[in-house]
Amino acid sequence: MMMREATLEERKRFYLEEWNQHDIPDFILHTLSLREFGFDLDGSGPSNRYNQFLTVEQLGDFLRSRAPYSVYASVALYERPSAREGWLKSELALDIDAKDLPIKSCGCPPGSVCERCIEEARTVAQQFAEVLAGDLGLRNISFVYSGRGFHVRVNDESVMTLEGNERAQIVDYVTGNVIPSDFTMALGYSKVFRDRVARTFSSLGEEKLLEVKGMRRSLARKLMQEKARAIEMIRKGRLDELSSFESLGPKTLRNLLEFLTRMNSEFTDGKVTIDTKRILRLPSSLHSGVSMKCMVVRDLDRFRLEEAVPKFLREGVR
Amino acid sequence: MIAPEYLAVLDPFSDEAKKIVEASPQLEAMPSDVIEMAVKRVRWTAREMLVEPNVESIRAEVLSFYLMCQAVAAVSFPGSQEVRLIGSATRDTLRYRMYDLFKRGQEELCMRAVKRSINLVNLEVEEGVRVGRSVIPREDFYKLRDLKLAEDGLETVDDRILPQYLPKYAVRWTDLAPLLRHRRKELTKLYLVGGWAVITPRDLWDLYADFVSVRMEEYVQSVYERMLELGAQPSGVLARVGERISSLVPKEAVIREGFTRGPAGRLRPEFFPPCIKLALNGVGAGLRNYAVMMMLTPFLSYARVAPSGKVATRMADFINDISIVRDEIAPFLFEAAERCNPPLFKDQPQEKAGIFYHMGFGMTTEPTLADSGRSKWYRTPNCSKIQMSAPSLCKPDEFCRKIKNPLTYYFRKRYEGTRAG
């Protein structure tokens, strides 16, 4: 999959020929006039803020005439979006950026993205959404492919008035960022934590394991050799059995758990979730940095990256 | 059978309680038993916390609660030792009342009080344990009990106590938002299924007691801000009751506070609100006087001295070293004045004395403690006044939505910052 920067001509072509207001999801369309819009007009950053559009036609006119590099809309709804005043409520949003995943099985350097990174980001987004719906009982959860990862956006009234502190606790819960007092319960946070730790552990290599305080190479090697057994123990909540691995004492086990927990928290950018005035890339717009469409994903399992390739790139490849 | 009015005892913010407050006498005419109760309730133990189910007792209970809150707002500030003291007393009182009512078979009354604020259901415990459409595995049900027992350090309990530790209810976790916001509860410590947090009777008492305690703290904050807005000195009764409550703050807590605040509570600019940070960066010609004299001088002096325990009229009542004013507060102000365009004291050197005047030392550039009280110690204007007088300085962040005065912002942020470690 080719990912390259779009030219100004390509941006113009995209907004004139391909952009469609019907690609804006209802949760944004129905509250369009209450959101703040931000633009990066030339690739220097989203410095054009405090914009309000009363109708989607006005927004369309703006996009066609300016062909911005990036388009953003606030997760917040305001009485006066053009002044960012009169906050009413905000979506709950989680940002899973494939370029920032803490572990990449593909070996991409940090800051780079390949299809495999995006595939991994998709899995993380799916796991987060399952906890949001299952444990937290939230509804109206949408996925957005952002161009380099996924946004999980929740429009459930029961969480939209929550403030930063509460949202931070949701991040902790969903990512498995706190070591629980019990590892064995079949449901609840205990299970979320086990799943997250098992996933993170399964992606680790021997070298990464050596970053754990007190981890000796021989032990790291052993854990990697018998990874499947270790993961089974974690999944079943039998963490004490991990000490059956030679020289994995309680102190190193604790260090390992803390290490994994810290890594868990890096699968999403918590600052995005906590910030109730955040602007996020507008679904339907073009991510010009990688020439991909930011779009709502109706069925995450079936989503194929090709769906997000703009016409100018497809035709260029031909 | 306990009368419905008794709900005011379990929920001081209920309509029943509000009716009692609306019909209350003026502060100066408050019955002496209510005044005594407002102070003593801070130290209540066990049975003292209970209220007889008669109109007079309920009335005294509600009025003394409100008097306690308003008195503390008069002599301290949000997040102060006094607020924490009455918050903790309120929590203990509510928890004991809930426990007592359960013990006497009045669970239904408690549930009615709780259900007004929190979505609460009973677990269905028949063939399986269910909440809504979710089934809770039997093992988890008993593990939850054992975790709670372990938390309380209990190895064995008799049959009378055991039911208190068995999961019995579920509450919507989103209704616990005020507790999550104030870090009284952590989401990762709740057992969540389908949006419901599964809890035991003991959890219910704790949750509800914390809930009322948080609302009480928010009420004290609102009274404090109203008093700042009015600029009026608290009445004699409020001041006297407030000072008596303040004298009950445990000494070790005062020492600890002094320690955590660093040497005599140095200012923590990282907790300043946006408007104060902007003003400290210097402002233009039309705003200089307002920013430095009316905003920064009161803000920095109150924030640094954090007057608590007495009605704040003289700074000398709260400090015993003038270097706090000269070496800590004043330099901030002079630097901010220098950053103005043009620098404030360049063309208005007499305003240097104005800074000390606004802190209550009269017109002087060499204040001493003996000068304290020569002029009025100005209070920090409320956000609404700043918005009108200096709209360009009002760039609210998310936290600003919770407060009405820049000082409240600082005290709350500092308190939360200290709690978060």
Side-chain angles (χ1 to χ4, degrees):
Chain A
M1 178 66 52
M2 194 198 312
M3 286 191 178
R4 60 149 177 92
E5 191 173 32
T7 64
L8 177 60
E9 281 312 307
E10 287 167 338
R11 277 151 44 195
K12 281 181 180 168
R13 196 179 149 197
F14 174 81
Y15 284 109
L16 283 170
E17 296 177 7
E18 193 171 355
W19 181 81
N20 188 334
Q21 67 182 56
H22 299 298
D23 291 337
I24 300 177
D26 284 353
F27 63 83
I28 293 179
L29 205 56
H30 294 167
T31 52
L32 189 95
S33 68
L34 302 177
R35 293 184 190 251
E36 181 210 359
F37 281 79
F39 300 99
D40 174 356
L41 294 172
D42 54 11
S44 59
S47 52
N48 187 323
R49 302 277 307 255
Y50 294 93
N51 298 289
Q52 180 184 18
F53 294 97
L54 297 179
T55 65
V56 70
E57 286 75 21
Q58 281 179 2
L59 171 67
D61 289 346
F62 183 94
L63 296 179
R64 282 186 286 271
S65 66
R66 304 294 292 272
Y69 191 86
S70 302
V71 185
Y72 303 87
S74 63
V75 293
L77 310 184
Y78 303 96
E79 284 173 31
R80 295 174 300 285
S82 55
R84 230 186 285 167
E85 283 178 1
W87 182 86
L88 299 169
K89 58 184 177 178
S90 294
E91 293 171 43
L92 175 74
L94 288 123
D95 177 20
I96 302 106
D97 194 332
K99 77 174 164 36
D100 297 328
L101 291 176
I103 316 161
K104 295 179 172 197
S105 57
C106 53
C108 269
S112 308
V113 177
C114 69
E115 285 184 52
R116 225 159 114 190
C117 300
I118 289 177
E119 191 52 43
E120 283 169 10
R122 180 214 312 247
T123 308
V124 174
Q126 184 77 62
Q127 289 168 341
F128 286 174
E130 280 166 12
V131 174
L132 290 170
D135 290 33
L136 301 185
L138 301 179
R139 300 287 172 264
N140 299 326
I141 299 173
S142 309
F143 298 101
V144 172
Y145 170 64
S146 67
R148 267 202 295 221
F150 293 88
H151 295 155
V152 181
R153 303 180 66 153
V154 185
N155 279 272
D156 185 317
E157 286 298 330
S158 67
V159 289
M160 291 181 80
T161 51
L162 296 184
E163 297 176 8
N165 280 351
E166 300 97 292
R167 290 169 191 248
Q169 295 215 33
I170 295 174
V171 176
D172 285 346
Y173 192 100
V174 170
T175 59
N177 188 26
V178 176
I179 299 175
S181 49
D182 176 274
F183 298 108
T184 65
M185 279 200 255
L187 301 177
Y189 180 68
S190 182
K191 179 177 188 303
V192 174
F193 182 78
R194 289 197 308 271
D195 289 348
R196 297 291 176 268
V197 163
R199 177 205 58 201
T200 303
F201 183 79
S202 68
S203 328
L204 287 181
E206 189 179 315
E207 290 305 314
K208 194 78 185 167
L209 259 187
L210 286 172
E211 290 176 23
V212 177
K213 203 176 160 194
M215 179 68 67
R216 284 189 284 163
R217 186 169 284 280
S218 58
L219 175 58
R221 191 165 298 149
K222 182 107 176 143
L223 281 167
M224 286 301 103
Q225 281 165 355
E226 297 189 42
K227 206 180 212 180
R229 185 161 75 95
I231 291 170
E232 182 71 3
M233 288 173 184
I234 294 170
R235 285 210 185 277
K236 289 190 170 163
R238 297 185 193 138
L239 271 78
D240 48 335
E241 287 181 18
L242 282 171
S243 56
S244 63
F245 284 90
E246 186 190 354
S247 76
L248 181 54
K251 211 167 169 185
T252 311
L253 175 59
R254 186 78 194 174
N255 290 341
L256 174 62
L257 273 185
E258 282 171 1
F259 179 79
L260 294 169
T261 305
R262 211 164 39 246
M263 295 202 80
N264 283 348
S265 70
E266 293 171 14
F267 279 87
T268 184
D269 179 357
K271 289 198 291 295
V272 173
T273 308
I274 291 165
D275 185 357
T276 54
K277 295 191 171 179
R278 196 79 174 188
I279 50 172
L280 287 181
R281 206 172 279 283
L282 177 73
S284 77
S285 69
L286 179 70
H287 188 318
S288 300
V290 289
S291 294
M292 295 291 260
K293 285 190 282 185
C294 170
M295 58 185 291
V296 167
V297 178
R298 313 265 171 220
D299 184 342
L300 197 61
D301 289 332
R302 293 189 181 173
F303 172 68
R304 291 177 305 113
L305 268 186
E306 291 71 36
E307 296 169 37
V309 177
K311 243 194 252 173
F312 67 77
L313 203 62
R314 279 205 303 269
E315 291 171 2
V317 169
R318 275 182 214 146
Chain B
M1 182 68 188
I2 295 177
E5 291 78 29
Y6 198 78
L7 282 170
V9 172
L10 296 177
D11 181 3
F13 301 101
S14 63
D15 289 341
E16 291 85 355
K18 281 178 190 157
K19 269 185 201 157
I20 293 171
V21 175
E22 280 162 15
S24 73
Q26 293 290 310
L27 274 173
E28 295 305 322
M30 196 62 78
S32 58
D33 60 325
V34 171
I35 291 173
E36 282 308 301
M37 204 167 158
V39 178
K40 286 183 177 162
R41 60 182 301 140
V42 176
R43 284 276 176 88
W44 274 346
T45 57
R47 302 206 68 76
E48 288 171 303
M49 297 171 177
L50 303 180
V51 180
E52 289 297 321
N54 61 60
V55 175
E56 268 318 296
S57 299
I58 294 170
R59 182 171 170 274
E61 154 63 24
V62 171
L63 293 182
S64 69
F65 172 84
Y66 278 89
L67 182 54
M68 171 185 77
C69 294
Q70 291 176 14
V72 162
V75 301
S76 73
F77 50 86
S80 69
Q81 292 286 349
E82 288 83 351
V83 173
R84 277 180 264 178
L85 178 70
I86 64 169
S88 152
T90 301
R91 192 164 49 246
D92 292 346
T93 301
L94 259 297
R95 192 188 289 127
Y96 190 78
R97 284 177 188 164
M98 298 282 279
Y99 158 76
D100 180 70
L101 284 167
F102 263 72
K103 203 176 63 181
R104 291 194 284 128
Q106 295 288 343
E107 178 180 350
E108 203 46 46
L109 185 71
C110 295
M111 302 277 279
R112 270 176 63 195
V114 174
K115 280 179 178 172
R116 287 176 172 195
S117 319
I118 299 171
N119 202 337
L120 170 78
V121 294
N122 278 70
L123 292 181
E124 297 161 38
V125 188
E126 285 172 10
E127 285 179 16
V129 185
R130 301 179 72 93
V131 54
R133 275 178 284 174
S134 308
V135 177
I136 299 163
R138 278 270 173 199
E139 305 88 79
D140 281 8
F141 181 80
Y142 291 112
K143 278 179 190 171
L144 279 170
R145 176 199 64 186
D146 296 343
L147 272 177
K148 297 291 167 194
L149 286 167
E151 262 175 35
D152 286 358
L154 299 171
E155 285 178 9
T156 52
V157 284
D158 60 36
D159 288 349
R160 196 171 47 87
I161 303 292
L162 197 60
Q164 297 175 11
Y165 287 91
L166 273 175
K168 185 172 183 185
Y169 313 105
V171 293
R172 289 305 288 188
W173 73 269
T174 44
D175 291 341
L176 306 178
L179 305 184
L180 301 175
R181 193 178 313 138
H182 292 269
R183 288 265 168 197
R184 299 282 165 82
K185 275 284 163 281
E186 285 173 45
L187 210 51
T188 53
K189 290 203 163 62
L190 297 171
Y191 183 89
L192 296 175
V193 189
W196 294 95
V198 176
I199 58 169
T200 66
R202 286 185 87 87
D203 290 331
L204 181 68
W205 310 334
D206 284 344
L207 282 176
Y208 186 67
D210 270 328
F211 200 85
V212 174
S213 168
V214 164
R215 286 192 70 183
M216 186 226 73
E217 288 181 24
E218 289 173 351
Y219 173 70
V220 171
Q221 178 180 320
S222 71
V223 174
Y224 171 82
E225 289 181 337
R226 224 178 308 145
M227 285 176 174
L228 279 181
E229 191 172 337
L230 293 172
Q233 290 303 332
S235 84
V237 171
L238 288 186
R240 282 197 301 277
V241 171
E243 286 174 17
R244 284 178 66 192
I245 291 174
S246 190
S247 71
L248 299 175
V249 172
K251 292 285 180 287
E252 61 270 35
V254 174
I255 292 164
R256 198 164 55 245
E257 170 78 352
F259 181 73
T260 54
R261 276 170 24 183
R266 288 194 190 285
L267 289 164
R268 304 274 301 270
E270 68 270 31
F271 298 136
F272 288 175
C275 57
I276 296 297
K277 285 180 181 165
L278 279 173
L280 281 169
N281 283 332
V283 297
L287 268 182
R288 291 178 308 163
N289 267 313
Y290 185 81
V292 177
M293 299 297 166
M294 304 308 293
M295 284 176 65
L296 290 180
T297 303
F299 175 85
L300 293 172
S301 56
Y302 276 87
R304 170 61 183 83
V305 174
S308 172
K310 289 181 180 176
V311 174
T313 49
R314 280 169 14 107
M315 215 188 282
D317 291 340
F318 303 95
I319 59 173
N320 51 21
D321 182 359
I322 194 65
S323 71
I324 290 173
V325 176
R326 286 184 187 170
D327 303 337
E328 291 184 42
I329 301 170
F332 263 105
L333 295 164
F334 292 148
E335 282 168 26
E338 189 60 31
R339 282 189 211 106
C340 289
N341 184 21
L344 180 61
F345 299 133
K346 197 173 179 183
D347 54 343
Q348 297 183 34
Q350 74 283 3
E351 291 295 354
K352 272 194 174 176
I355 278 182
F356 297 110
Y357 178 84
H358 282 84
M359 284 193 272
F361 293 95
M363 287 300 279
T364 175
T365 52
E366 294 293 330
T368 64
L369 279 182
D371 294 329
S372 181
R374 283 185 192 274
S375 52
K376 184 180 166 185
W377 185 11
Y378 278 70
R379 285 175 168 242
T380 314
N382 266 5
C383 301
S384 55
K385 281 196 179 165
I386 294 172
Q387 271 168 357
M388 278 190 290
S389 309
S392 59
L393 292 179
C394 185
K395 304 277 183 228
D397 64 13
E398 191 198 343
F399 200 80
C400 290
R401 281 193 283 117
K402 304 176 194 171
I403 54 96
K404 289 178 186 161
N405 188 280
L407 257 185
T408 320
Y409 184 112
Y410 178 69
F411 288 136
R412 282 278 303 273
K413 273 263 177 180
R414 194 185 65 178
Y415 174 53
E416 289 179 10
T418 311
R419 277 172 67 97

